[in-house]
Amino acid sequence: MKFLVLMAEEDHFDRWEAASEEQQQAFFDGLAAFTAAVRDRGEVLAGEALARPERAVTVRGDASTAGPYAETVEQVGGFYVVELPSQEDAVELARLLDVPSVEIRPILEM
């Protein structure tokens, strides 16, 4: 099964910019541990960091507005697309990510 793993945190981008090199390296080490654990059970199909939400554009019908759609203090900072045997595996491995909020959503086959 394929899953989208969204990583979110309140004020993510400001916190990242204020983090020390050691704190940023610790975060990257956690991402590497997650990636290795996924590869032990499945496959990482994609993973990227995202730009600040102010750079987003939301399209609704014929109108588009600057900024993200969601009105929330949590900001999605990055994502993975993984292939794993089950959602339970995805949940277990997501706990390796040092992020306050991780959403795991199955990807539908089209």
Side-chain angles (χ1 to χ4, degrees):
M1 294 181 67
K2 293 180 188 174
F3 300 95
L4 176 64
V5 179
L6 293 169
M7 299 174 287
E9 175 179 24
E10 185 174 336
D11 299 324
H12 165 74
F13 294 93
D14 292 337
R15 287 173 186 252
W16 179 256
E17 290 170 2
S20 68
E21 286 185 33
E22 293 80 18
Q23 291 169 317
Q24 290 180 354
Q25 186 59 53
F27 179 77
F28 285 130
D29 292 346
L31 296 179
F34 172 78
T35 300
V38 169
R39 288 188 176 139
D40 285 345
R41 297 187 198 184
E43 187 175 356
V44 175
L45 302 175
E48 298 291 339
L50 299 176
R52 294 184 71 93
E54 296 86 359
R55 296 190 51 199
V57 175
T58 300
V59 176
R60 290 188 196 108
D62 293 335
S64 63
T65 57
Y69 171 74
E71 295 293 330
T72 179
V73 295
E74 286 186 337
Q75 301 165 337
V76 177
F79 70 92
Y80 283 96
V81 176
V82 299
E83 188 162 5
L84 291 164
S86 70
Q87 190 163 8
E88 291 77 17
D89 287 313
V91 169
E92 178 183 338
L93 298 178
R95 290 191 172 99
L96 295 172
L97 296 167
D98 188 19
V99 180
S101 177
V102 178
E103 179 179 338
I104 301 159
R105 192 176 300 186
I107 297 175
L108 301 175
E109 297 294 326
M110 309 266 312

